């Protein structure tokens, strides 16, 4: 079953497909479908999308937004993911861009927004710290005001793709004496070429090093790089986290994995026949299909209920259920790979392009989905409080 689309929506969808499948190079999409997207792939693809007005459609119109209907926005993300087009860099388009557009000064908008949309600047997210992940407001990195500068000291961790970062948006404590820990935080833009910054890679369970730690020692940030008001950073961070959650569910990616599995399983031999005829496997596939349908409807609901760039609280539900569904599908892909899917070495030793090996590395890599952007346990707390009113 598909969501019923009007003639106009179908024409809109076909226009998107033309760009996604016609303008974004096939090898970039193939690597992305295998989970092997490179930095260059992300940059190439985002610049092509930006050229076609498709990198930041949800931004305010004066900065490249398209003013689409909820259905159009939904079609955009699901078609992009189904086509295997690399997601425009979330740190740029879903996180810092909307914050600058909503709360930044005119000068910050002019300086950063066009370069952020075109990925001329690669942003990193400097929120989490060793003792402040779920309890983000407990962070200890300080930004002391000194004349027309802030002086940054402390540590950030789990910085995804920070090895490519040109700039980082940092949440730091500007008032250590504020009565509540949420009250003394500020949102600052940091050029990662500033002296006093050390970056160390963290090796992950799949053998890759896509996350990093950053250490700051007397790092000077011009005061004009403060976004919005001093000590109001927590409200900007909450705005940003709502949008971050929204993008993690990746319903279109789930649909692509489902379609591949449904097509391939009919030809995969098992001891008792073909995998596609195995009742347990079929039940699991059907469950995944129904869940994806429910998620598609939820995504539409979230998009329709998000106002002025502020995500609806239902995004917590979408994040939790969407990441669980994707992890289940990735497990099914492992099952389909059978003994070929057993990881025999570290990530570096896995043969590129080998679908079975990719299933294993992807399985390990995607454990992160239920942790980052606020763990799924934390989302349950948000749902209880903001949706159920408990
Ligand atoms: C691969 C990866 C990439 C990441 N990328 C970034 C990034 O680019 N930038 C960035 O700033 N951060 C990033 N993060 C950090 C991420 O946001 C945190 O890992 C996450 O918020 C959890 O925090 P924590 O790791 O400190 O775990 P903790 O907060 O210590 O939690 C440990 C466990 O306790 C549970 N728990 C904690 N508090 C509660 C509670 N109140 N109720 C119920 N259960 C609770 C959690 O769910 C979790 O299972 C990334 C994390 C990962 C794994």
């Amino acid at each position: 079953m598909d969501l019923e689309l009007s003639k106009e929506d179908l024409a809109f969808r076909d226009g998107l497909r033309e760009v996604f499948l016609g303008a974004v190079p096939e090898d970039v999409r193939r690597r992305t479908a295998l989970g092997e997207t490179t930095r260059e792939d992300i940059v190439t693809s985002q610049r092509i999308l930006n050229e076609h007005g498709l990198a930041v459609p949800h931004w305010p119109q004066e900065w490249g937004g398209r003013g689409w209907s909820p259905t159009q926005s939904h079609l955009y993300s699901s078609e992009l993911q189904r086509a295997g087009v690399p997601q425009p860099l979330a740190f740029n388009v879903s996180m810092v861009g909307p914050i600058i557009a909503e709360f930044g000064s005119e000068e910050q908008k002019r300086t950063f927004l066009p370069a952020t949309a075109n990925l001329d600047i690669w942003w990193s997210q400097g929120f989490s710290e060793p003792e402040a992940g779920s309890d983000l407001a407990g962070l200890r990195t300080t930004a002391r005001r000194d004349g027309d500068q802030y002086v940054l000291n402390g540590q950030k961790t789990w910085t995804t793709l920070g090895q490519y970062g040109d700039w980082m948006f940092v949440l730091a404590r500007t008032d250590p004496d504020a009565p509540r820990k949420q009250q003394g935080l500020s949102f600052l833009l940091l050029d990662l070429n500033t002296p006093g910054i050390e970056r160390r890679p963290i090796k992950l369970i799949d053998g890759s090093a896509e996350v990093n730690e950053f250490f700051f020692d007397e790092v000077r940030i011009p005061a004009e790089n403060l976004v919005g008001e001093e000590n109001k950073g927590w409200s900007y961070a909450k705005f940003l986290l709502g949008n971050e959650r929204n993008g993690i569910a990746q319903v279109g990616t789930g649909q692509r994995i489902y379609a591949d599995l449904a097509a391939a399983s009919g030809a995969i031999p098992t001891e008792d026949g073909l995998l596609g005829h195995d009742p347990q496997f079929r039940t699991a596939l059907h469950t995944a299909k129904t869940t994806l349908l429910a998620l598609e409807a939820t995504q539409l609901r979230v998009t329709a209920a998000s106002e002025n760039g502020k995500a609806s609280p239902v995004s917590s539900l979408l994040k939790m259920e969407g990441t669980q569904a994707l992890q289940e599908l990735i497990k099914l892909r492992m099952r389909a790979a059978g003994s070929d899917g057993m990881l025999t070495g570290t990530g570096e030793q896995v043969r590129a392009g080998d679908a079975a090996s990719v299933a294993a590395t992807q399985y390990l890599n995607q454990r992160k989905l239920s942790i980052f952007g606020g763990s799924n346990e934390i989302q349950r707390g948000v749902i209880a409080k903001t949706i159920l009113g408990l």
Side-chain angles (χ1 to χ4, degrees):
M1 191 178 116
D2 274 331
L3 293 177
E4 212 160 286
L5 297 174
S6 67
K7 247 194 199 159
E8 292 73 28
D9 288 335
L10 284 170
F12 175 83
R13 185 193 67 183
D14 291 345
L16 291 176
R17 285 185 180 173
E18 224 174 282
V19 177
F20 296 160
L21 300 173
V24 178
E26 202 267 331
D27 60 323
V28 171
R29 289 185 286 109
R30 189 168 28 82
R31 277 192 293 277
T32 302
L34 287 172
E36 296 182 327
T37 324
T38 64
R39 175 190 182 279
E40 287 66 36
D41 290 342
I42 298 173
V43 174
T44 303
S45 153
Q46 185 160 330
R47 290 190 181 153
I48 292 171
L49 294 180
N50 200 32
E51 228 175 87
H52 289 82
L54 294 174
V56 291
H58 54 292
W59 284 15
Q61 275 168 275
E62 66 172 309
W63 296 109
R66 302 294 296 271
W68 285 340
S69 69
T71 308
Q72 289 173 321
S73 301
H74 165 71
L75 284 173
Y76 167 79
S77 40
S78 66
E79 289 298 322
L80 184 99
Q81 290 163 7
R82 277 191 206 205
V85 172
Q87 205 71 33
L89 190 69
F91 307 114
N92 287 37
V93 306
S94 312
M95 300 192 202
V96 76
I99 292 282
I100 294 176
E102 181 74 18
F103 306 107
S105 64
E106 284 310 309
E107 178 64 23
Q108 286 170 343
K109 290 178 195 177
R110 274 195 305 275
T111 307
F112 292 112
L113 289 180
T116 297
N118 204 44
L119 201 36
D120 299 331
I121 299 175
W122 185 295
W123 287 94
S124 292
Q125 181 185 21
F127 277 20
S128 303
E129 298 183 5
E131 301 298 326
S134 302
D135 179 25
L136 182 60
L139 63 85
R140 295 184 191 161
T141 294
T142 55
R144 184 183 80 243
R145 184 76 188 234
D146 180 22
D148 58 0
Q149 294 179 325
Y150 288 95
V151 184
L152 194 69
N153 282 288
Q155 179 188 353
K156 294 290 172 185
T157 191
W158 299 120
T159 317
T160 299
L161 303 178
Q163 63 269 40
Y164 307 136
D166 302 308
W167 282 71
M168 176 183 276
F169 49 94
V170 180
L171 204 56
R173 191 162 298 287
T174 32
D175 180 4
D177 302 321
R180 290 180 64 237
K181 58 187 176 184
Q182 290 86 352
Q183 282 172 350
L185 303 174
S186 296
F187 193 101
L188 294 157
L189 307 178
L190 166 66
D191 180 345
L192 288 173
N193 285 315
T194 315
I197 302 175
E198 188 192 342
R199 179 187 74 85
R200 291 186 204 154
I202 302 174
K203 195 163 178 176
L204 294 182
I205 192 173
D206 66 352
S208 73
E210 70 178 33
V211 294
N212 304 267
E213 293 177 286
F214 279 84
F215 297 85
F216 308 118
D217 179 16
E218 295 287 293
V219 177
R220 295 200 161 252
I221 304 178
E224 72 231 30
N225 289 358
L226 169 76
V227 176
E229 288 179 53
E230 194 178 76
N231 298 327
K232 292 278 167 65
W234 186 246
S235 36
Y236 313 140
K238 282 198 299 187
F239 179 100
L240 180 149
L241 291 171
N243 286 323
E244 181 181 6
R245 285 198 289 269
N246 225 342
I248 296 177
Q250 295 179 61
V251 183
T253 304
Q255 285 163 333
R256 177 165 44 75
I257 298 176
Y258 166 81
D260 289 349
L261 272 174
S265 59
I268 297 175
T270 66
E271 278 178 13
D272 311 314
L274 293 172
L275 184 64
H277 297 165
D278 177 278
Q280 269 187 345
F281 191 82
R282 280 166 62 92
T283 306
L285 258 191
H286 283 304
T287 307
K289 187 178 183 184
T290 318
T291 308
L292 286 168
L293 194 62
L295 283 168
E296 202 173 359
T298 309
Q299 190 164 60
L300 260 171
R301 207 148 58 94
V302 169
T303 313
S306 302
E307 279 173 37
N308 302 325
K310 190 170 186 289
S312 137
V314 184
S315 63
S316 289
L317 192 70
L318 187 63
K319 194 265 169 179
M320 190 180 79
E321 293 290 340
T323 53
Q324 280 172 196
L326 206 49
Q327 287 180 334
E328 281 305 313
L329 277 160
I330 289 167
K331 254 196 233 166
L332 283 182
R333 195 159 64 177
M334 280 285 282
R335 167 117 194 259
S339 55
D340 289 350
M342 290 174 77
L343 193 62
T344 52
T346 63
E348 287 92 330
Q349 288 161 344
V350 169
R351 285 165 296 151
D354 181 328
S357 299
V358 168
T361 44
Q362 280 294 293
Y363 171 78
L364 293 174
N365 183 275
Q366 299 292 317
R367 307 316 301 157
K368 68 189 177 192
L369 293 176
S370 42
I371 304 172
F372 67 19
S375 74
N376 284 7
E377 289 77 22
I378 292 297
Q379 302 312 325
R380 286 187 178 88
V382 175
I383 292 164
K385 208 167 142 191
T386 60
I387 302 179
L388 303 175
L390 298 174

